[in-house]
Structure formats: C-alpha cells, structure tokens
Coordinates of all heavy atoms in Angstrom, one line a residue:
M1 N 7.2 9.4 -12.5 CA 7.2 8.1 -12.0 C 8.6 7.5 -12.0 O 9.3 7.6 -13.0 CB 6.2 7.3 -13.0 CG 6.2 5.9 -12.6 SD 4.9 4.9 -13.5 CE 3.5 5.4 -12.8
I2 N 8.9 6.8 -11.0 CA 10.2 6.2 -10.8 C 10.3 4.8 -11.6 O 11.3 4.5 -12.3 CB 10.6 6.0 -9.4 CG1 10.7 7.4 -8.7 CG2 11.9 5.2 -9.3 CD1 10.9 7.3 -7.2
T3 N 9.3 4.1 -11.4 CA 9.3 2.8 -12.1 C 8.6 2.8 -13.5 O 7.6 3.5 -13.7 CB 8.5 1.7 -11.2 OG1 9.0 1.8 -9.9 CG2 8.5 0.4 -11.6
D4 N 9.1 2.0 -14.4 CA 8.5 1.8 -15.7 C 6.9 1.5 -15.6 O 6.7 0.6 -14.7 CB 9.3 0.8 -16.5 CG 8.8 0.7 -17.9 OD1 7.7 0.0 -18.1 OD2 9.4 1.3 -18.8
E5 N 6.2 2.1 -16.4 CA 4.7 1.8 -16.3 C 4.4 0.4 -16.4 O 3.5 -0.1 -15.8 CB 4.0 2.7 -17.3 CG 4.0 4.2 -16.9 CD 3.3 5.1 -18.0 OE1 2.4 4.5 -18.6 OE2 3.6 6.2 -18.1
K6 N 5.1 -0.3 -17.4 CA 4.8 -1.7 -17.6 C 5.1 -2.6 -16.4 O 4.4 -3.5 -16.1 CB 5.6 -2.2 -18.8 CG 5.2 -1.6 -20.2 CD 6.0 -2.1 -21.2 CE 5.7 -1.5 -22.6 NZ 6.5 -1.9 -23.7
I7 N 6.2 -2.3 -15.7 CA 6.6 -3.0 -14.5 C 5.5 -2.7 -13.4 O 5.1 -3.7 -12.6 CB 8.0 -2.5 -14.0 CG1 9.1 -3.0 -15.0 CG2 8.3 -3.1 -12.6 CD1 10.5 -2.5 -14.7
E8 N 5.1 -1.5 -13.3 CA 4.1 -1.2 -12.2 C 2.8 -1.9 -12.6 O 2.2 -2.5 -11.7 CB 3.9 0.3 -12.1 CG 2.9 0.7 -11.0 CD 2.9 2.1 -10.5 OE1 3.8 2.8 -11.0 OE2 2.1 2.4 -9.7
Q9 N 2.4 -1.9 -13.8 CA 1.1 -2.6 -14.2 C 1.2 -4.1 -13.9 O 0.3 -4.7 -13.5 CB 0.8 -2.3 -15.7 CG -0.6 -2.9 -16.0 CD -1.7 -2.2 -15.2 OE1 -1.7 -1.0 -15.0 NE2 -2.5 -2.9 -14.6
Y10 N 2.4 -4.6 -14.2 CA 2.6 -6.1 -13.9 C 2.4 -6.3 -12.4 O 1.8 -7.3 -12.0 CB 4.1 -6.5 -14.3 CG 4.3 -7.9 -14.0 CD1 4.0 -8.9 -14.9 CD2 5.0 -8.2 -12.8 CE1 4.3 -10.3 -14.6 CE2 5.2 -9.6 -12.5 CZ 4.8 -10.6 -13.4 OH 5.1 -11.9 -13.1
C11 N 3.0 -5.5 -11.6 CA 3.0 -5.7 -10.1 C 1.5 -5.5 -9.7 O 1.0 -6.3 -8.8 CB 3.8 -4.5 -9.4 SG 5.5 -4.8 -9.7
I12 N 0.8 -4.6 -10.3 CA -0.7 -4.4 -9.9 C -1.4 -5.7 -10.3 O -2.3 -6.2 -9.5 CB -1.2 -3.2 -10.6 CG1 -0.6 -1.9 -9.9 CG2 -2.7 -3.1 -10.4 CD1 -0.9 -0.6 -10.7
D13 N -1.2 -6.2 -11.5 CA -1.9 -7.4 -12.0 C -1.6 -8.6 -11.3 O -2.4 -9.5 -11.1 CB -1.5 -7.6 -13.5 CG -2.0 -6.5 -14.5 OD1 -3.0 -5.7 -14.0 OD2 -1.5 -6.4 -15.6
H14 N -0.4 -8.7 -10.6 CA -0.1 -9.9 -9.8 C -0.1 -9.7 -8.3 O 0.6 -10.5 -7.7 CB 1.3 -10.4 -10.4 CG 1.2 -10.8 -11.8 ND1 1.4 -10.0 -12.9 CD2 1.0 -12.1 -12.3 CE1 1.2 -10.6 -14.0 NE2 0.9 -11.9 -13.7
S15 N -0.6 -8.6 -7.8 CA -0.7 -8.5 -6.3 C -2.0 -8.5 -5.9 O -3.0 -8.3 -6.7 CB -0.1 -7.0 -6.0 OG 1.2 -7.0 -6.4
T16 N -2.2 -8.8 -4.6 CA -3.5 -8.9 -4.0 C -4.1 -7.5 -3.9 O -3.4 -6.6 -3.4 CB -3.4 -9.5 -2.6 OG1 -2.9 -10.9 -2.7 CG2 -4.8 -9.7 -2.0
P17 N -5.2 -7.2 -4.4 CA -5.8 -5.9 -4.3 C -6.1 -5.5 -2.8 O -6.4 -6.4 -2.0 CB -7.0 -5.8 -5.1 CG -7.4 -7.2 -5.2 CD -6.2 -8.1 -5.1
P18 N -6.3 -4.2 -2.5 CA -6.6 -3.8 -1.2 C -8.1 -4.4 -0.9 O -8.9 -4.4 -1.8 CB -6.7 -2.3 -1.2 CG -5.9 -1.9 -2.4 CD -6.0 -3.0 -3.4
N19 N -8.2 -4.9 0.4 CA -9.5 -5.4 0.8 C -10.5 -4.2 1.2 O -10.0 -3.1 1.1 CB -9.4 -6.4 2.0 CG -8.7 -5.8 3.2 OD1 -8.9 -4.6 3.4 ND2 -8.1 -6.5 4.0
S20 N -11.7 -4.6 1.5 CA -12.7 -3.5 1.8 C -12.3 -2.6 2.9 O -12.5 -1.5 2.9 CB -14.1 -4.1 1.9 OG -14.0 -5.1 3.0
T21 N -11.7 -3.2 3.9 CA -11.3 -2.4 5.1 C -10.2 -1.5 4.8 O -10.3 -0.3 5.2 CB -10.8 -3.4 6.3 OG1 -11.8 -4.3 6.6 CG2 -10.4 -2.6 7.5
H22 N -9.3 -1.9 4.0 CA -8.2 -1.0 3.6 C -8.7 0.1 2.7 O -8.4 1.4 2.9 CB -7.1 -1.8 2.8 CG -5.9 -1.0 2.4 ND1 -5.0 -1.4 1.4 CD2 -5.4 0.2 2.8 CE1 -4.1 -0.5 1.4 NE2 -4.4 0.5 2.2
K23 N -9.7 -0.1 1.8 CA -10.4 0.9 1.0 C -11.1 1.9 1.9 O -11.0 3.1 1.6 CB -11.2 0.3 0.0 CG -10.5 -0.5 -1.1 CD -11.5 -1.2 -2.1 CE -10.8 -2.0 -3.1 NZ -11.7 -2.6 -4.0
E24 N -11.7 1.4 2.9 CA -12.5 2.3 3.8 C -11.7 3.2 4.5 O -11.9 4.4 4.7 CB -13.4 1.4 4.7 CG -14.6 0.8 4.1 CD -15.3 -0.2 5.1 OE1 -15.1 -0.1 6.2 OE2 -16.0 -1.0 4.6
L25 N -10.5 2.6 5.0 CA -9.5 3.5 5.8 C -8.9 4.5 4.9 O -8.6 5.7 5.3 CB -8.3 2.6 6.3 CG -8.7 1.7 7.5 CD1 -7.6 0.7 7.7 CD2 -9.1 2.5 8.7
I26 N -8.6 4.2 3.6 CA -8.0 5.2 2.7 C -9.1 6.3 2.5 O -8.7 7.5 2.6 CB -7.7 4.5 1.3 CG1 -6.5 3.6 1.4 CG2 -7.4 5.6 0.2 CD1 -6.3 2.7 0.2
Q27 N -10.3 6.0 2.2 CA -11.4 7.0 2.0 C -11.6 7.8 3.3 O -11.7 9.0 3.2 CB -12.7 6.3 1.6 CG -13.8 7.3 1.3 CD -15.1 6.5 0.9 OE1 -15.2 5.3 1.1 NE2 -15.9 7.2 0.2
A28 N -11.6 7.2 4.4 CA -11.8 8.0 5.7 C -10.7 8.9 5.9 O -10.9 10.0 6.4 CB -11.9 7.0 6.9
T29 N -9.4 8.5 5.6 CA -8.2 9.3 5.8 C -8.4 10.5 4.9 O -8.1 11.7 5.3 CB -7.0 8.6 5.6 OG1 -6.9 7.5 6.5 CG2 -5.7 9.5 5.8
H30 N -8.8 10.3 3.7 CA -8.8 11.4 2.7 C -9.9 12.4 3.1 O -9.8 13.6 2.9 CB -9.1 10.9 1.3 CG -7.9 10.4 0.6 ND1 -7.1 11.3 -0.1 CD2 -7.4 9.1 0.5 CE1 -6.1 10.5 -0.6 NE2 -6.3 9.2 -0.3
Q31 N -11.0 11.9 3.7 CA -12.1 12.8 4.1 C -11.7 13.6 5.5 O -12.1 14.8 5.5 CB -13.4 12.0 4.4 CG -14.0 11.5 3.1 CD -15.1 10.5 3.4 OE1 -15.4 10.0 4.5 NE2 -15.9 10.1 2.3
R32 N -11.1 12.9 6.4 CA -10.9 13.5 7.7 C -9.6 14.3 7.8 O -9.5 15.2 8.5 CB -10.9 12.5 8.8 CG -12.4 11.8 8.9 CD -12.4 10.9 10.1 NE -13.8 10.3 10.0 CZ -14.0 8.9 10.2 NH1 -13.0 8.1 10.4 NH2 -15.2 8.5 10.2
L33 N -8.6 13.8 7.1 CA -7.2 14.3 7.1 C -6.6 14.5 5.7 O -5.7 13.8 5.5 CB -6.3 13.4 8.0 CG -6.8 13.1 9.4 CD1 -6.0 12.0 10.1 CD2 -6.6 14.5 10.3
P34 N -7.2 15.3 4.9 CA -6.8 15.4 3.6 C -5.3 15.7 3.4 O -4.6 15.2 2.5 CB -7.6 16.4 2.9 CG -8.3 17.1 4.0 CD -8.3 16.3 5.2
Q35 N -4.7 16.5 4.3 CA -3.3 16.9 4.2 C -2.4 15.8 4.6 O -1.3 15.6 4.1 CB -3.0 18.1 5.0 CG -3.7 19.3 4.5 CD -3.5 20.6 5.5 OE1 -3.1 20.4 6.6 NE2 -3.7 21.7 4.9
A36 N -2.9 14.8 5.4 CA -2.1 13.7 6.0 C -2.2 12.5 5.0 O -1.4 11.6 5.0 CB -2.5 13.3 7.3
A37 N -3.3 12.5 4.1 CA -3.5 11.3 3.3 C -2.4 11.0 2.4 O -2.2 9.8 2.0 CB -4.8 11.6 2.5
R38 N -1.6 12.0 1.9 CA -0.5 11.8 1.1 C 0.7 11.0 1.7 O 1.5 10.5 1.1 CB 0.0 13.1 0.5 CG 0.6 14.0 1.6 CD 1.1 15.3 0.9 NE 1.6 16.2 1.9 CZ 2.8 16.3 2.4 NH1 3.7 15.5 1.8 NH2 3.2 17.1 3.3
M39 N 0.6 10.8 3.0 CA 1.6 10.1 3.7 C 1.3 8.5 3.9 O 2.1 7.9 4.4 CB 1.8 10.7 5.1 CG 2.3 12.1 5.0 SD 2.6 12.8 6.8 CE 3.9 11.7 7.4
Q40 N 0.1 8.2 3.4 CA -0.3 6.8 3.4 C 0.6 6.0 2.5 O 1.0 6.5 1.4 CB -1.7 6.6 2.9 CG -2.7 7.1 3.9 CD -4.2 6.9 3.4 OE1 -4.5 7.1 2.3 NE2 -5.0 6.4 4.4
V41 N 0.8 4.8 2.9 CA 1.6 3.9 2.0 C 0.7 3.4 0.9 O -0.5 3.1 1.2 CB 2.1 2.6 2.9 CG1 2.7 1.6 2.0 CG2 3.0 3.1 3.9
G42 N 1.2 3.3 -0.3 CA 0.4 2.9 -1.4 C 0.1 1.4 -1.3 O 0.7 0.7 -0.6
A43 N -0.9 0.9 -2.2 CA -1.3 -0.4 -2.1 C -0.1 -1.4 -2.4 O 0.0 -2.4 -1.8 CB -2.5 -0.6 -3.1
L44 N 0.7 -1.1 -3.4 CA 1.7 -1.9 -3.8 C 2.8 -2.0 -2.8 O 3.3 -3.1 -2.4 CB 2.4 -1.5 -5.2 CG 1.5 -1.8 -6.4 CD1 2.2 -1.2 -7.6 CD2 1.2 -3.3 -6.6
E45 N 3.1 -0.8 -2.2 CA 4.2 -0.8 -1.2 C 3.6 -1.5 0.1 O 4.5 -2.2 0.8 CB 4.5 0.7 -0.8 CG 5.2 1.4 -1.9 CD 4.2 2.1 -2.9 OE1 3.0 1.9 -2.8 OE2 4.7 2.9 -3.7
G46 N 2.4 -1.4 0.4 CA 1.8 -2.0 1.5 C 1.9 -3.5 1.4 O 2.2 -4.3 2.4
R47 N 1.5 -4.1 0.2 CA 1.6 -5.5 0.0 C 3.0 -6.0 0.1 O 3.4 -7.0 0.6 CB 1.0 -5.9 -1.4 CG -0.5 -5.7 -1.5 CD -1.3 -6.4 -0.5 NE -1.0 -7.9 -0.6 CZ -1.0 -8.7 0.4 NH1 -1.3 -8.4 1.6 NH2 -0.6 -10.0 0.3
F48 N 4.0 -5.3 -0.4 CA 5.4 -5.6 -0.3 C 5.8 -5.6 1.1 O 6.5 -6.6 1.5 CB 6.2 -4.7 -1.1 CG 7.7 -4.9 -1.1 CD1 8.2 -6.2 -1.7 CD2 8.6 -4.2 -0.5 CE1 9.6 -6.4 -1.8 CE2 10.0 -4.4 -0.5 CZ 10.4 -5.6 -1.1
L49 N 5.5 -4.6 1.9 CA 5.9 -4.6 3.3 C 5.2 -5.8 4.0 O 5.9 -6.4 4.9 CB 5.5 -3.2 3.9 CG 6.3 -2.0 3.4 CD1 5.7 -0.7 3.9 CD2 7.8 -2.1 3.7
S50 N 4.0 -6.0 3.7 CA 3.3 -7.2 4.4 C 4.0 -8.5 4.1 O 4.2 -9.3 4.9 CB 1.9 -7.3 3.9 OG 1.2 -8.4 4.3
L51 N 4.5 -8.6 2.8 CA 5.2 -9.9 2.3 C 6.5 -9.9 3.1 O 6.8 -11.0 3.7 CB 5.5 -9.8 0.9 CG 6.4 -10.9 0.3 CD1 5.6 -12.2 0.4 CD2 6.8 -10.6 -1.1
I52 N 7.2 -8.9 3.2 CA 8.5 -8.9 4.1 C 8.2 -9.3 5.5 O 8.9 -10.1 6.1 CB 9.2 -7.5 4.0 CG1 9.7 -7.3 2.6 CG2 10.4 -7.4 5.0 CD1 10.3 -5.9 2.4
A53 N 7.2 -8.8 6.1 CA 6.8 -9.1 7.5 C 6.5 -10.6 7.6 O 6.9 -11.2 8.6 CB 5.7 -8.2 8.0
Q54 N 5.7 -11.1 6.6 CA 5.4 -12.5 6.7 C 6.6 -13.4 6.5 O 6.8 -14.4 7.2 CB 4.4 -12.8 5.6 CG 3.1 -12.2 5.9 CD 2.0 -12.4 4.7 OE1 2.5 -13.0 3.7 NE2 0.8 -11.9 4.8
I55 N 7.5 -13.1 5.5 CA 8.6 -13.9 5.3 C 9.6 -13.9 6.5 O 10.2 -15.0 6.8 CB 9.4 -13.3 4.1 CG1 8.7 -13.6 2.8 CG2 10.8 -13.9 3.9 CD1 9.2 -13.0 1.6
T56 N 9.7 -12.8 7.2 CA 10.7 -12.7 8.3 C 10.1 -13.2 9.6 O 10.8 -13.4 10.7 CB 11.1 -11.3 8.5 OG1 10.0 -10.4 8.8 CG2 11.9 -10.7 7.3
G57 N 8.8 -13.4 9.6 CA 8.1 -13.9 10.8 C 7.9 -12.7 11.8 O 7.8 -13.0 13.0
A58 N 7.9 -11.5 11.4 CA 7.8 -10.3 12.3 C 6.5 -10.5 13.1 O 5.5 -10.7 12.6 CB 7.9 -9.1 11.5
K59 N 6.7 -10.2 14.4 CA 5.5 -10.1 15.3 C 5.0 -8.7 15.5 O 3.8 -8.4 15.7 CB 5.8 -10.8 16.6 CG 6.3 -12.2 16.6 CD 5.1 -13.1 16.2 CE 5.5 -14.6 16.2 NZ 5.1 -15.4 15.1
T60 N 5.9 -7.8 15.4 CA 5.8 -6.3 15.6 C 6.5 -5.6 14.5 O 7.6 -5.9 14.2 CB 6.3 -5.9 17.0 OG1 5.6 -6.8 18.0 CG2 5.9 -4.4 17.3
V61 N 5.8 -4.5 14.0 CA 6.4 -3.7 13.0 C 6.2 -2.2 13.4 O 5.2 -1.8 13.9 CB 5.7 -3.9 11.6 CG1 6.3 -3.0 10.6 CG2 5.8 -5.4 11.2
L62 N 7.3 -1.5 13.3 CA 7.3 -0.1 13.6 C 7.6 0.7 12.3 O 8.6 0.5 11.8 CB 8.3 0.2 14.7 CG 8.5 1.7 14.9 CD1 7.3 2.3 15.6 CD2 9.6 2.0 16.0
E63 N 6.7 1.5 11.9 CA 6.9 2.3 10.7 C 7.0 3.8 11.1 O 6.2 4.3 11.9 CB 5.6 2.2 9.8 CG 5.8 3.0 8.5 CD 4.6 3.0 7.6 OE1 3.5 2.4 8.0 OE2 4.6 3.7 6.6
F64 N 7.9 4.4 10.6 CA 8.1 5.9 10.9 C 8.6 6.5 9.7 O 9.1 6.0 8.8 CB 9.1 6.1 12.1 CG 10.4 5.5 12.0 CD1 11.5 6.3 11.5 CD2 10.7 4.2 12.3 CE1 12.7 5.7 11.3 CE2 11.9 3.6 12.2 CZ 13.0 4.4 11.7

C-alpha cells in the first residue's frame, strides 16, 4: 500500500460512498470482463477525479 492505512481510512470515512449504479457497474465488469476489472478506477480515486471535474467546471473528461 502506498498510502498510510489511517489516511486511507480517513478518506473512506469522509468520502461519498459509491452509489448503487456504480456498484452494479463494478460487479458487472468483474463478471463479464474479469481481466479488465483491475483497470477500473477505485472508489476514492473516482470521487477525487469527480471533485476535480466539478471544481474546474469540466464539461468533458477524457480518461486514458
């Protein structure tokens, strides 16, 4: 793990959890494309990227 466990737990405790749609997409990806599932953005990283998009007023985001 790169980040201290206490810091990660703090982030989890103070972040919005994945909604039901996000959970369904994670599960579907693991079932249909198990090898590609490891490429998914984690919940914390996803929330952080969403925050950056909101702060900057981004209308379009390209992830690669």
Side-chain angles (χ1 to χ4, degrees):
M1 176 176 284
I2 295 173
T3 305
D4 184 277
E5 290 180 25
K6 291 178 183 178
I7 294 172
E8 183 161 355
Q9 189 59 52
Y10 177 88
C11 293
I12 291 169
D13 293 342
H14 294 86
S15 295
T16 305
N19 62 29
S20 59
T21 303
H22 187 196
K23 289 178 185 177
E24 289 173 18
L25 288 170
I26 291 169
Q27 184 178 19
T29 302
H30 279 278
Q31 289 174 349
R32 295 183 183 136
L33 303 165
Q35 293 176 339
R38 64 184 175 87
M39 295 181 67
Q40 288 182 315
V41 172
L44 288 176
E45 294 88 352
R47 290 301 304 147
F48 181 67
L49 293 171
S50 175
L51 177 65
I52 291 172
Q54 290 174 359
I55 289 171
T56 62
K59 302 287 186 227
T60 305
V61 177
L62 174 62
E63 180 187 0
F64 56 94

